[in-house]
Amino acid sequence: MNTSRRKHQRSRLRTAAASAAAVALAATGLAALPSSASAAADGIVVQYRTSASGASADQSEPWLKVRNAGSTSVPLSSVKVRYYFKADSASAAYRFACSWAVKGCANITGTFGTLANPTATADRYLEIGFTPGAGSLAPGADTGDMQLRFHQASWASLIQSDDYSFGPERTTYGDWSKVTAQVNGSLVWGQAPAGNGPTDPPDPTDPPSDGARLFDDFNYSSHTDPKIGANGWSVRSNSGGPGVPGATWAPENVTFASQSGNSVMNLETSTAGTGASTKHTEILTKSMKFKNGTYASRVKFSDAPRSGPDGDRIVQTFFTINDLKAPMADDYAEYDFEYLPNGGWGEPANILYTTSWETYRPDPWEAVNAHSEVRASYAGWHDLVLTIDNNQITYYVDGQHFGTHGAAFLPERPMSINFNQWLIDLQGQPSTTPRSYDQQVDYVLHVKDQVLTPAQVNAMVGSYRSAGKTFEDTVPGS
């Protein structure tokens, strides 16, 4: 990035602080993937019990186990489990939580969706997924206890007695066909509510089979792997902002390793409390050829350093951007996911921003942008999805709507795709003890001119991985 980006990033405090507004995470309207009656005699089995058996409750508590009754190992990251329920009102929003799990709550995700064909007992579902950190299920093994729950965002009492998957008598674990399981998008267990099976009309969450796209699983050996450049990426080494003056951008701190069968990219940022000792990291596409469509990535944010004292004002990102040709130029564009685990820009603690930029002037500072934010820890793996059409920019985190920004912020020119990790300043931690921070990236996906739901993104990524395909770029140059 150039000096202008450093200045506008550092000055974002003034814009963010002036218009900060809490964002309520609402359940997204995702239509169901194809599903219907299925019983696995030799495959995945879902067991269910509930610890909240009342007809109504403050929160529903579907506790689950996933068992591998098959003869081959199954990566849990390929498994999706769905619990179907009737929303308490058309506008009701829900929140998911994991109280405890043998596999670790950090390795379990929960997102909400809307059925394509609602019934009297189901118009929503809770979809449970697993991060690569959950590992694989060997034949005969199960996940162990997953003590899950969900509730209305308002904490109003919810009615369970009319929920398709609810079993009030199920106080001990047992096989439960009213909860479905999919492996790489294919139903392998259970029966979905009537009208939502594979013999019914095509489902709008099926991923499109055509359309130009970029997919990269970051299956590289090191930052010097010639495939990185051949596949259109640049590992940054040039000086300049954003971040600490005098810092360098260190290509050698971009590394790759295998985790649970997937290649994962790691961006390491380190410092010993001086500009000269600070090393930032960034990888970006060499071409600015990405504009409308869907952008998605699975990113692991971290709240604490891998080593050394904590407290640095670090920024962990996934974003698209083009160059500012002149102050307040109206063809500038930038769309950010930015996580600040230790605060910064006037924030005292962890905060996740999504920001859509129309333009800015670095001196004197003036910015035209819109942003959404949530003040909470986002440590761990997260599915990040950004969509741009002719009307708006929409952000999702873990399948849930995070923010929408209007037509005034739509891009006029194509952009690059970037990941970076950098320090805003050295004021958050004055120690001269060396420390380092990690941000990890599992994959990146862009589908040109098509707005996908988070469920469609997951299905498309699953298809790439099932086919063993680690890279594809059919997006034409700008």
Side-chain angles (χ1 to χ4, degrees):
M1 286 184 218
N2 57 27
T3 303
S4 295
R5 172 158 174 85
R6 173 178 59 81
K7 289 180 179 177
H8 100 256
Q9 287 278 16
R10 189 167 57 186
S11 301
R12 182 166 300 167
L13 160 61
R14 280 166 279 187
T15 306
S19 60
V23 176
L25 294 178
T28 55
L30 309 181
L33 289 169
S35 54
S36 73
S38 176
D42 183 35
I44 291 295
V45 173
V46 180
Q47 297 186 322
Y48 161 83
R49 61 159 293 195
T50 183
S51 60
S53 57
S56 63
D58 290 337
Q59 55 187 355
S60 184
E61 299 185 11
W63 292 12
L64 302 173
K65 287 183 181 179
V66 177
R67 180 168 59 88
N68 183 1
S71 56
T72 59
S73 183
V74 176
L76 278 169
S77 60
S78 68
V79 177
K80 300 289 186 184
V81 176
R82 286 187 175 176
Y83 179 95
Y84 301 90
F85 64 98
K86 180 76 171 178
D88 293 85
S89 69
S91 61
Y94 293 87
R95 301 288 182 268
F96 165 78
C98 171
S99 297
W100 186 82
V102 172
K103 288 291 184 180
C105 284
N107 292 316
I108 296 172
T109 63
T111 59
F112 296 94
T114 303
L115 284 179
N117 299 295
T119 71
T121 59
D123 54 14
R124 306 276 186 97
Y125 59 82
L126 168 64
E127 182 172 272
I128 302 302
F130 301 88
T131 73
S136 297
L137 279 185
D142 64 48
T143 60
D145 213 10
M146 294 187 290
Q147 298 181 9
L148 312 178
R149 54 191 171 89
F150 66 92
H151 58 85
Q152 290 202 65
S154 63
W155 278 105
S157 180
L158 52 78
I159 298 172
Q160 300 190 101
S161 56
D162 62 354
D163 290 349
Y164 177 84
S165 295
F166 178 57
E169 75 285 358
R170 296 280 174 160
T171 56
T172 58
Y173 277 112
D175 296 357
W176 191 236
S177 63
K178 289 189 174 184
V179 174
T180 62
Q182 301 164 24
V183 176
N184 291 322
S186 297
L187 184 73
V188 296
W189 170 262
Q191 182 170 349
N196 293 278
T199 59
D200 298 305
D203 198 298
T205 59
D206 290 340
S209 59
D210 56 357
R213 64 184 72 165
L214 165 70
F215 173 75
D216 201 331
D217 212 17
F218 295 112
N219 188 21
Y220 303 113
S221 59
S222 72
H223 75 281
T224 60
D225 191 330
K227 292 191 300 180
I228 294 178
N231 288 348
W233 295 98
S234 174
V235 183
R236 183 177 174 181
S237 60
N238 60 295
S239 61
V244 175
T248 58
W249 294 82
E252 68 275 12
N253 283 4
V254 178
T255 57
F256 304 88
S258 178
Q259 289 187 15
S260 303
N262 293 325
S263 181
V264 172
M265 177 172 65
N266 189 78
L267 307 180
E268 177 189 333
T269 293
S270 59
T271 188
T274 65
S277 67
T278 301
K279 294 183 177 182
H280 297 152
T281 44
E282 180 169 23
I283 186 169
L284 65 156
T285 59
K286 293 185 285 186
S287 176
M288 290 187 186
K289 63 178 184 177
F290 308 98
K291 193 180 175 188
N292 286 16
T294 299
Y295 300 80
S297 184
R298 186 164 182 79
V299 177
K300 185 177 184 180
F301 298 128
S302 57
D303 276 354
R306 175 158 48 89
S307 61
D310 196 3
D312 289 292
R313 295 169 180 168
I314 197 159
V315 184
Q316 301 171 345
T317 76
F318 166 44
F319 64 100
T320 70
I321 191 173
N322 60 30
D323 53 327
L324 182 72
K325 293 185 176 297
M328 301 302 288
D330 62 5
D331 62 349
Y332 175 75
E334 178 183 351
Y335 307 97
D336 304 323
F337 287 93
E338 294 173 310
Y339 180 54
L340 283 61
N342 292 318
W345 298 326
E347 292 291 331
N350 38 31
I351 184 169
L352 177 63
Y353 284 106
T354 60
T355 308
S356 301
W357 287 83
E358 167 60 15
T359 190
Y360 71 97
R361 178 172 56 207
D363 189 21
W365 177 253
E366 182 178 359
V368 182
N369 66 22
H371 58 87
S372 306
E373 65 279 326
V374 169
R375 293 170 177 83
S377 171
Y378 279 84
W381 285 102
H382 295 283
D383 295 313
L384 309 179
V385 176
L386 156 68
T387 65
I388 304 173
D389 59 22
N390 291 324
N391 300 302
Q392 61 190 22
I393 305 102
T394 306
Y395 298 86
Y396 299 91
V397 177
D398 296 330
Q400 298 207 30
H401 177 255
F402 193 94
T404 297
H405 304 151
F409 305 99
L410 292 173
E412 287 85 12
R413 290 190 291 121
M415 303 166 288
S416 62
I417 297 175
N418 303 48
F419 297 89
N420 67 17
Q421 184 180 219
W422 50 280
L423 292 170
I424 297 172
D425 52 40
L426 296 171
Q427 298 173 27
Q429 173 53 268
S431 172
T432 56
T433 301
R435 59 269 190 188
S436 61
Y437 295 82
D438 289 334
Q439 173 188 340
Q440 295 184 336
V441 182
D442 186 15
Y443 71 85
V444 68
L445 172 72
H446 171 70
V447 181
K448 177 180 170 61
D449 296 330
Q450 295 185 5
V451 172
L452 307 186
T453 66
Q456 287 176 307
V457 167
N458 289 340
M460 186 174 287
V461 173
S463 296
Y464 275 111
R465 288 181 165 168
S466 295
K469 195 167 189 177
T470 61
F471 177 80
E472 179 180 37
D473 185 4
T474 59
V475 179
S478 57

